[in-house]
């Protein structure tokens, strides 16, 4: 759906101001692409696809053809960011939702904390929703749940887990422009 919306906005992408196009992209296309992302289980393949979609959008804004040999790093610098931000925003939304679930007595909390009776099936266990939380916060789900009771501490941990978005330096911008 987000790709279709990106294609429909062809006239806007032909404009000159990159800053305005990035703001439109972040306010219209990215929310469409990430709708319901709080419930996703993200594995390595999914994270690569999310990053590829984001870079595809940036290339569309900059009007860079897929046949041109321009590296992803150069595209990000031309846009004005250091690392892709879509995956980081998904992480932040998911961690914030986790904190919300753990602080309130809701059906979601009971489902999240429930244990199934019986034996599990053969083979490798599938990646669960909680695995993302454990990986990103670098702690167990139960300890992360205790962290949520103190909102300020939890917000700080979420910020640390998702703080890979830095603006490029002036030197990096000059290197691309030359």
């Amino acid at each position: 759906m987000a790709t279709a919306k990106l294609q429909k906005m062809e006239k806007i992408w032909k404009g000159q101001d990159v800053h305005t196009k990035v703001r439109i992209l972040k306010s219209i296309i990215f929310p469409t692409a990430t709708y319901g992302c709080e419930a996703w289980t993200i594995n390595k393949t999914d994270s690569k696809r999310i990053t590829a979609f984001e870079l595809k959008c940036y290339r569309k804004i900059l009007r860079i053809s897929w046949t041109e040999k321009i590296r992803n790093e150069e595209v990000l610098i031309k846009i004005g960011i250091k690392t892709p931000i879509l995956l980081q925003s998904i992480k932040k939304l998911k961690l914030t939702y986790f904190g919300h679930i753990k602080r309130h007595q809701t059906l979601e909390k009971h489902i999240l904390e429930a244990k199934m009776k019986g034996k599990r099936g053969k083979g490798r266990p599938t990646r669960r929703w909680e695995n993302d939380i454990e990986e990103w916060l670098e702690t167990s789900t139960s300890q992360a749940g205790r962290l949520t009771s103190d909102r300020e501490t939890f917000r700080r941990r979420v910020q640390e887990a998702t703080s890979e978005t830095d603006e490029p330096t002036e030197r990096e911008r000059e290197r691309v422009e030359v």
Side-chain angles (χ1 to χ4, degrees):
M1 287 176 61
T3 305
K5 192 172 283 275
L6 186 72
Q7 296 296 330
K8 285 181 184 178
M9 300 179 77
E10 190 70 34
K11 290 181 183 177
I12 294 172
W13 306 139
K14 290 183 180 180
Q16 296 299 321
D17 187 26
V18 175
H19 178 68
T20 305
K21 291 190 276 188
V22 171
R23 288 181 61 192
I24 291 170
L25 181 75
K26 288 180 180 179
S27 64
I28 297 174
I29 306 299
F30 287 172
T32 304
T34 61
Y35 180 76
C37 67
E38 295 90 354
W40 297 352
T41 301
I42 300 173
N43 54 28
K44 289 182 182 178
T45 306
D46 293 334
S47 63
K48 286 180 183 178
R49 290 181 69 196
I50 290 166
T51 304
F53 171 75
E54 181 179 3
L55 287 165
K56 175 184 175 182
C57 292
Y58 292 150
R59 288 176 188 274
K60 186 80 168 171
I61 284 176
L62 295 171
R63 300 174 71 187
I64 298 173
S65 172
W66 64 273
T67 58
E68 296 178 43
K69 304 291 184 195
I70 297 178
R71 297 176 57 99
N72 290 341
E73 293 83 14
E74 294 174 19
V75 171
L76 291 172
I77 291 171
K78 285 181 182 180
I79 290 293
I81 58 174
K82 204 170 208 172
T83 58
I85 59 168
L86 190 58
L87 189 59
Q88 297 303 321
S89 66
I90 290 172
K91 285 181 182 181
K92 185 173 183 177
L93 288 169
K94 190 168 178 177
L95 289 170
T96 305
Y97 184 61
F98 172 76
H100 177 75
I101 288 173
K102 290 301 254 184
R103 278 191 300 274
H104 298 92
Q105 292 296 328
T106 60
L107 178 63
E108 291 94 350
K109 182 177 180 179
H110 294 297
I111 291 171
L112 183 66
E113 294 174 346
K115 299 291 180 192
M116 295 291 294
K117 293 181 180 178
K119 295 182 179 180
R120 70 171 187 86
K122 292 181 180 179
R124 181 184 203 163
T126 58
R127 185 165 177 87
R128 298 177 323 172
W129 189 85
E130 298 90 10
N131 294 127
D132 291 336
I133 306 299
E134 292 172 352
E135 181 181 313
W136 296 335
L137 292 178
E138 297 173 349
T139 184
S140 67
T141 308
S142 59
Q143 190 172 2
R146 285 190 292 276
L147 272 175
T148 61
S149 61
D150 182 16
R151 287 182 183 229
E152 289 303 316
T153 306
F154 188 69
R155 284 182 186 143
R156 206 170 21 257
R157 287 294 298 270
V158 169
Q159 183 64 33
E160 290 170 5
T162 61
S163 65
E164 295 181 27
T165 58
D166 295 323
E167 296 296 319
T169 63
E170 196 64 37
R171 185 175 178 193
E172 290 173 332
R173 285 188 186 145
E174 289 173 6
R175 186 174 56 92
V176 171
E177 290 174 1
V178 172

